[in-house]
Amino acid sequence: MNPPPHKIQVPEGSGLRAAITGTGSYLPERVMTNADFAKIVETTDEWIMTRTGIRERHLARVDETPSDMGIVAARRALEKAGISAEAVEMIIVATLSPDYAFPNTGCLVQAGIGAKNAFCFDLEAACSGFVYGLEMARRCVEAGGIRTALVLGAEKMSSIVDYTDRQTCVLFGDGAGAAIVQGVRDGRGVLGTVLGSDGTLADLLIQKAGGSRMPATEETVRQKMHMIRMSGREVFKHAVLNMSQAAKKALECSGCAMEEIACVVPHQANLRIIEAIAARLGVGLDRFYLNVERTGNMSSASIPVALDEAIACGRVKPGDKVLTVAFGSGFTWGATVIQF
Ligand SMILES: CC(C)(COP(=O)(O)OP(=O)(O)OC[C@H]1O[C@@H](n2cnc3c(N)ncnc32)[C@H](O)[C@@H]1OP(=O)(O)O)[C@@H](O)C(=O)NCCC(=O)NCCS
């Protein structure tokens, strides 16, 4: 019997699994601290730290774009995987802040790294984008159509943040993270994934203008409707509920107990959200890899950057099982268990 569509299990028997064989990340040089925010909006380091756990975040230069950041992260991931850019057959860039409405950011990354054998596209699932992208790559790799994929999360949140809105501006940062996904038969790979969406709640976290429903006009720009608007409390509640449920379902469909998970790499939106998820999963925060204090919420780039850091510092080692879990605008959510 087929599993329900939101529960995706690796087909048994083939032995072929989609594994992450290399990761890379990039954070822009410029750092904006909470003290810097206190100079431009009415806030304090104490308020931001207590409500979000964020102390600082990296912001891209004016001339630096998601594709620029993604290119650096992609090169680093290729190097770790020990493969050339020509080996990449598919590039998926998860982003809600693309360089252009079109062409897609994936094509720009392709040109930058010289992945001339790849087809490329962007995927928009907000902060869940990397988990969605990883699952799309898994399906292509395990179906046998693609041997090597590059999945990126790349965001310039600073280009759509209203720096006069103290409720949102302190939350976000810029950056990019990349993963090389390859078919292997050695036990590594994605063990199970759960994805979900609820479009009835689209208005709670939204960039209203700039699309075809509300094209940019002098009026939309004056009213800052091309910037992020969020109902913080509502988003918080739904994030905790959906992330903890997705994490539990991903464990279930991958046949893993929480005790087997060496490290949880969550979407890094807010420390309080992560604390609430840890409590619902019945584990301590020490099981989580956290970088939200240094990066803020980088939307789709949060998980791949955190994963790359966790591998680089030895928190995730070969043989470890890792749980990633994400939530974002849409609403969208997803969780996946990966064997390294
Ligand atoms: C945004 C968030 C930190 C706000 O925290 P909160 O406890 O819900 O705070 P509220 O929005 O209820 O605001 C409480 C007060 O703090 C004020 N406030 C908001 N931002 C502030 C800031 N940066 N500095 C100081 N005060 C601030 C509000 O104006 C409000 O003041 P009032 O009581 O005088 O009206 C919280 O709702 C949150 O984290 N939500 C989820 C956001 C998120 O992660 N989104 C992305 C998901 S992918």
PDB file of all heavy atoms in Angstrom, residues 93-110:
ATOM      1  N   VAL A  93      17.767  26.193  -6.329  1.00  0.00           N
ATOM      2  CA  VAL A  93      18.034  27.263  -5.356  1.00  0.00           C
ATOM      3  C   VAL A  93      16.731  27.603  -4.643  1.00  0.00           C
ATOM      4  O   VAL A  93      15.773  28.076  -5.257  1.00  0.00           O
ATOM      5  CB  VAL A  93      18.612  28.531  -6.016  1.00  0.00           C
ATOM      6  CG1 VAL A  93      18.795  29.627  -4.960  1.00  0.00           C
ATOM      7  CG2 VAL A  93      19.958  28.227  -6.672  1.00  0.00           C
ATOM      8  N   ALA A  94      16.694  27.321  -3.347  1.00  0.00           N
ATOM      9  CA  ALA A  94      15.565  27.732  -2.523  1.00  0.00           C
ATOM     10  C   ALA A  94      15.801  29.179  -2.112  1.00  0.00           C
ATOM     11  O   ALA A  94      16.841  29.492  -1.525  1.00  0.00           O
ATOM     12  CB  ALA A  94      15.468  26.835  -1.296  1.00  0.00           C
ATOM     13  N   THR A  95      14.868  30.057  -2.459  1.00  0.00           N
ATOM     14  CA  THR A  95      15.030  31.468  -2.092  1.00  0.00           C
ATOM     15  C   THR A  95      13.688  32.182  -2.180  1.00  0.00           C
ATOM     16  O   THR A  95      12.855  31.856  -3.028  1.00  0.00           O
ATOM     17  CB  THR A  95      16.072  32.171  -3.005  1.00  0.00           C
ATOM     18  OG1 THR A  95      16.250  33.515  -2.544  1.00  0.00           O
ATOM     19  CG2 THR A  95      15.673  32.195  -4.471  1.00  0.00           C
ATOM     20  N   LEU A  96      13.486  33.136  -1.274  1.00  0.00           N
ATOM     21  CA  LEU A  96      12.327  34.038  -1.402  1.00  0.00           C
ATOM     22  C   LEU A  96      12.789  35.454  -1.709  1.00  0.00           C
ATOM     23  O   LEU A  96      11.976  36.371  -1.800  1.00  0.00           O
ATOM     24  CB  LEU A  96      11.432  33.990  -0.149  1.00  0.00           C
ATOM     25  CG  LEU A  96      11.984  34.240   1.239  1.00  0.00           C
ATOM     26  CD1 LEU A  96      12.470  35.639   1.436  1.00  0.00           C
ATOM     27  CD2 LEU A  96      10.902  33.927   2.268  1.00  0.00           C
ATOM     28  N   SER A  97      14.123  35.593  -1.881  1.00  0.00           N
ATOM     29  CA  SER A  97      14.678  36.915  -2.190  1.00  0.00           C
ATOM     30  C   SER A  97      15.609  36.803  -3.399  1.00  0.00           C
ATOM     31  O   SER A  97      16.783  37.144  -3.319  1.00  0.00           O
ATOM     32  CB  SER A  97      15.448  37.438  -0.971  1.00  0.00           C
ATOM     33  OG  SER A  97      16.416  36.484  -0.543  1.00  0.00           O
ATOM     34  N   PRO A  98      15.088  36.257  -4.527  1.00  0.00           N
ATOM     35  CA  PRO A  98      15.974  35.986  -5.675  1.00  0.00           C
ATOM     36  C   PRO A  98      16.602  37.257  -6.244  1.00  0.00           C
ATOM     37  O   PRO A  98      16.077  38.350  -6.035  1.00  0.00           O
ATOM     38  CB  PRO A  98      15.022  35.354  -6.701  1.00  0.00           C
ATOM     39  CG  PRO A  98      13.660  35.843  -6.333  1.00  0.00           C
ATOM     40  CD  PRO A  98      13.669  35.992  -4.843  1.00  0.00           C
ATOM     41  N   ASP A  99      17.704  37.090  -6.969  1.00  0.00           N
ATOM     42  CA  ASP A  99      18.338  38.242  -7.619  1.00  0.00           C
ATOM     43  C   ASP A  99      17.320  38.988  -8.480  1.00  0.00           C
ATOM     44  O   ASP A  99      17.234  40.209  -8.464  1.00  0.00           O
ATOM     45  CB  ASP A  99      19.471  37.779  -8.543  1.00  0.00           C
ATOM     46  CG  ASP A  99      20.706  37.287  -7.811  1.00  0.00           C
ATOM     47  OD1 ASP A  99      20.558  36.654  -6.755  1.00  0.00           O
ATOM     48  OD2 ASP A  99      21.825  37.551  -8.302  1.00  0.00           O
ATOM     49  N   TYR A 100      16.577  38.217  -9.288  1.00  0.00           N
ATOM     50  CA  TYR A 100      15.577  38.762 -10.207  1.00  0.00           C
ATOM     51  C   TYR A 100      14.301  37.946 -10.074  1.00  0.00           C
ATOM     52  O   TYR A 100      14.347  36.795  -9.634  1.00  0.00           O
ATOM     53  CB  TYR A 100      16.034  38.611 -11.669  1.00  0.00           C
ATOM     54  CG  TYR A 100      17.357  39.205 -12.013  1.00  0.00           C
ATOM     55  CD1 TYR A 100      18.433  38.379 -12.337  1.00  0.00           C
ATOM     56  CD2 TYR A 100      17.543  40.588 -12.058  1.00  0.00           C
ATOM     57  CE1 TYR A 100      19.663  38.920 -12.687  1.00  0.00           C
ATOM     58  CE2 TYR A 100      18.775  41.127 -12.403  1.00  0.00           C
ATOM     59  CZ  TYR A 100      19.829  40.296 -12.712  1.00  0.00           C
ATOM     60  OH  TYR A 100      21.039  40.818 -13.062  1.00  0.00           O
ATOM     61  N   ALA A 101      13.155  38.527 -10.544  1.00  0.00           N
ATOM     62  CA  ALA A 101      11.946  37.702 -10.675  1.00  0.00           C
ATOM     63  C   ALA A 101      12.243  36.608 -11.708  1.00  0.00           C
ATOM     64  O   ALA A 101      11.852  35.461 -11.554  1.00  0.00           O
ATOM     65  CB  ALA A 101      10.767  38.554 -11.120  1.00  0.00           C
ATOM     66  N   PHE A 102      12.910  36.963 -12.783  1.00  0.00           N
ATOM     67  CA  PHE A 102      13.491  36.009 -13.718  1.00  0.00           C
ATOM     68  C   PHE A 102      14.648  36.698 -14.410  1.00  0.00           C
ATOM     69  O   PHE A 102      14.645  37.940 -14.475  1.00  0.00           O
ATOM     70  CB  PHE A 102      12.446  35.486 -14.742  1.00  0.00           C
ATOM     71  CG  PHE A 102      11.880  36.542 -15.644  1.00  0.00           C
ATOM     72  CD1 PHE A 102      12.498  36.848 -16.859  1.00  0.00           C
ATOM     73  CD2 PHE A 102      10.736  37.247 -15.277  1.00  0.00           C
ATOM     74  CE1 PHE A 102      11.970  37.835 -17.695  1.00  0.00           C
ATOM     75  CE2 PHE A 102      10.209  38.219 -16.110  1.00  0.00           C
ATOM     76  CZ  PHE A 102      10.822  38.526 -17.314  1.00  0.00           C
ATOM     77  N   PRO A 103      15.655  36.005 -14.852  1.00  0.00           N
ATOM     78  CA  PRO A 103      15.855  34.557 -14.802  1.00  0.00           C
ATOM     79  C   PRO A 103      16.055  34.053 -13.372  1.00  0.00           C
ATOM     80  O   PRO A 103      16.298  34.839 -12.458  1.00  0.00           O
ATOM     81  CB  PRO A 103      17.129  34.356 -15.627  1.00  0.00           C
ATOM     82  CG  PRO A 103      17.887  35.622 -15.433  1.00  0.00           C
ATOM     83  CD  PRO A 103      16.838  36.691 -15.411  1.00  0.00           C
ATOM     84  N   ASN A 104      15.957  32.736 -13.225  1.00  0.00           N
ATOM     85  CA  ASN A 104      16.050  32.176 -11.879  1.00  0.00           C
ATOM     86  C   ASN A 104      17.480  32.209 -11.349  1.00  0.00           C
ATOM     87  O   ASN A 104      18.456  32.222 -12.102  1.00  0.00           O
ATOM     88  CB  ASN A 104      15.417  30.774 -11.833  1.00  0.00           C
ATOM     89  CG  ASN A 104      16.255  29.699 -12.508  1.00  0.00           C
ATOM     90  OD1 ASN A 104      17.352  29.399 -12.077  1.00  0.00           O
ATOM     91  ND2 ASN A 104      15.724  29.116 -13.581  1.00  0.00           N
ATOM     92  N   THR A 105      17.566  32.230 -10.023  1.00  0.00           N
ATOM     93  CA  THR A 105      18.862  32.329  -9.337  1.00  0.00           C
ATOM     94  C   THR A 105      19.729  31.103  -9.622  1.00  0.00           C
ATOM     95  O   THR A 105      20.956  31.193  -9.671  1.00  0.00           O
ATOM     96  CB  THR A 105      18.621  32.486  -7.826  1.00  0.00           C
ATOM     97  OG1 THR A 105      17.593  33.473  -7.643  1.00  0.00           O
ATOM     98  CG2 THR A 105      19.869  32.945  -7.094  1.00  0.00           C
ATOM     99  N   GLY A 106      19.064  29.954  -9.828  1.00  0.00           N
ATOM    100  CA  GLY A 106      19.809  28.735 -10.129  1.00  0.00           C
ATOM    101  C   GLY A 106      20.662  28.893 -11.382  1.00  0.00           C
ATOM    102  O   GLY A 106      21.816  28.446 -11.434  1.00  0.00           O
ATOM    103  N   CYS A 107      20.095  29.546 -12.407  1.00  0.00           N
ATOM    104  CA  CYS A 107      20.863  29.762 -13.642  1.00  0.00           C
ATOM    105  C   CYS A 107      22.074  30.665 -13.381  1.00  0.00           C
ATOM    106  O   CYS A 107      23.141  30.473 -13.978  1.00  0.00           O
ATOM    107  CB  CYS A 107      19.969  30.384 -14.717  1.00  0.00           C
ATOM    108  SG  CYS A 107      18.807  29.203 -15.416  1.00  0.00           S
ATOM    109  N   LEU A 108      21.903  31.652 -12.499  1.00  0.00           N
ATOM    110  CA  LEU A 108      23.020  32.555 -12.202  1.00  0.00           C
ATOM    111  C   LEU A 108      24.123  31.819 -11.437  1.00  0.00           C
ATOM    112  O   LEU A 108      25.312  32.031 -11.674  1.00  0.00           O
ATOM    113  CB  LEU A 108      22.520  33.769 -11.396  1.00  0.00           C
ATOM    114  CG  LEU A 108      21.354  34.546 -12.037  1.00  0.00           C
ATOM    115  CD1 LEU A 108      20.918  35.683 -11.129  1.00  0.00           C
ATOM    116  CD2 LEU A 108      21.735  35.093 -13.412  1.00  0.00           C
ATOM    117  N   VAL A 109      23.703  30.930 -10.544  1.00  0.00           N
ATOM    118  CA  VAL A 109      24.689  30.112  -9.817  1.00  0.00           C
ATOM    119  C   VAL A 109      25.389  29.184 -10.810  1.00  0.00           C
ATOM    120  O   VAL A 109      26.617  29.017 -10.780  1.00  0.00           O
ATOM    121  CB  VAL A 109      24.016  29.307  -8.673  1.00  0.00           C
ATOM    122  CG1 VAL A 109      24.979  28.286  -8.079  1.00  0.00           C
ATOM    123  CG2 VAL A 109      23.495  30.252  -7.588  1.00  0.00           C
ATOM    124  N   GLN A 110      24.622  28.604 -11.719  1.00  0.00           N
ATOM    125  CA  GLN A 110      25.206  27.715 -12.738  1.00  0.00           C
ATOM    126  C   GLN A 110      26.309  28.427 -13.511  1.00  0.00           C
ATOM    127  O   GLN A 110      27.420  27.896 -13.677  1.00  0.00           O
ATOM    128  CB  GLN A 110      24.126  27.268 -13.725  1.00  0.00           C
ATOM    129  CG  GLN A 110      24.691  26.458 -14.884  1.00  0.00           C
ATOM    130  CD  GLN A 110      23.731  26.365 -16.060  1.00  0.00           C
ATOM    131  OE1 GLN A 110      22.957  27.274 -16.316  1.00  0.00           O
ATOM    132  NE2 GLN A 110      23.797  25.250 -16.760  1.00  0.00           N
TER     133      GLN A 110
END
